[in-house]
Amino acid sequence: MSKLLIVVDQASDWAPFFPSDDVQTFEQYLHGTQRDSTRTRVINLCQSARYLSRGYYCSLLAEARRHQVLPSVATLNDLSRKGLFSLELSELDSEALRWLDQAADDQGSAGKVMVRTYFGQVEVPELKRVARSLFDRFACPILEVQFKRRRSWQIESMRPVSPGDLTETEQDAFAAALDRFSSIVWRKPKGRRRYRFDLAMLTNPDEQLPPSDKVALARFIKAGRKLGINVEQITKRDYSRLPEYDGLFIRETTAIDHHTYRFARKAESEGLVVIDDPVSILRCTNKVFLADLLTANRVPTPTTLILSKDQKDNVQQVMQSIGFPAVVKIPDGSFSRGISRVENEGELRVALDQLFRQSALVLVQEYLYTDYDWRIGVLGGRAIYACKYYMVKGHWQIYQHGGDAQVNSGGFETLPTYEAPRKVIQAALNATRLIGSGLYGVDIKQSGQRIAVIEVNDNPSIEAGVEDRFLGGELYTLIMQEFLARMEEKRRR
């Protein structure tokens, strides 16, 4: 069970709100118990957050005592550096920009608008997405945001605010936001007390091709709870809740310029056990990095060229080194997206032209025909499952994307790892050693005696009735046992 503390400068700062045993003055917190066995969350509402002020020291002391504090010292430091948040807002939704234009005109404020947010909540509906995004990056209980219109709207300044600076109307908004935040995020339901650890499982209910289907997710939850781990599904809206957990399991397709990567980095910085960890996401999601890494370490791969947009002899290089057919890939595609097979020079030029509009670098690989791709699941340096993914009938990939967003997939065959060829298993292990010790899916082609690693997935598919076809519930238990061992080790340290 977590303990919540709200720290203010003076008791009078809390006078407009209901009295609470959770509220302490800075002096009380300063001289209070430095550490105890109870997980403690601190909401720092001191008036000043500038360097070496009470507010700064409050967050600093909380981190020294291993309390989870909002805002963190890192956030306070970031807010003192204008370059980190002086961002153009031209790419944000049009509703927010229209509201800012109208507010500036109504107030006659010479292109300036001030807004206050409370735990990522804001009273202006048009700015909800902006407020949530800012809270994800600069988590503060009360944040005053000053917008300024130059050529386009920009964030001119941001600063933490104390409840003592709020008007009566703003106090009501803050109290409501605090009530929602503290009851949902910081206090845990009674039913969860019996579990030794809490594991967040990040999912996206709207994802078209998620790594795990609903049945598989339910089996992860069941397997975890049998081991004393409370597994709870969260979504991208729950970024601020990460400190509540002991681990993060990402079951959503990952990318670098994406909230999944931000979740992984945030969780790691909070001391959580993370799969997929940020380094694995970084190394696996970009095929340029991965191709170079595998080649440099002599892991067998198809012949691969990394082409630059500025090179003039791209087409000639491909024709001389690889020939046709060839496979052209964008660096961050997934589930067979952003990949095309070209049969001649004309198709190659068209494919390169299209992909160079999206990326400065493009991969071209030799095409190895096989009826299926091997997928070897590796966890913590050992193979845990083996699948054959067959190509879609009449197509050259295991997924075929239609124009109406329909996706077809080929058949599959799941085997025990000891029935997969030894060379295939060894290639998978060699590849993942270069990445880390997380959960990976290694795609491998086998053509006669030749073995070629196509890619390493940091977020491999685990679907009910497919990857678990041989092991059944044991597959989910193996993964939860890995989390349990790592979380126990962290707790011991």
Side-chain angles (χ1 to χ4, degrees), residues 29 45 67 315 450 479 482:
Y29 183 67
L45 296 177
H67 295 168
V315 173
R450 185 179 179 187
I479 295 170
E482 184 72 16

Side-chain angles (χ1 to χ4, degrees), residues 375-395:
R375 165 67 65 83
I376 306 299
V378 178
L379 174 65
R382 59 177 177 148
I384 60 173
Y385 67 83
C387 287
K388 292 179 178 179
Y389 296 154
Y390 288 88
M391 306 302 160
V392 176
K393 189 175 181 179
H395 188 60

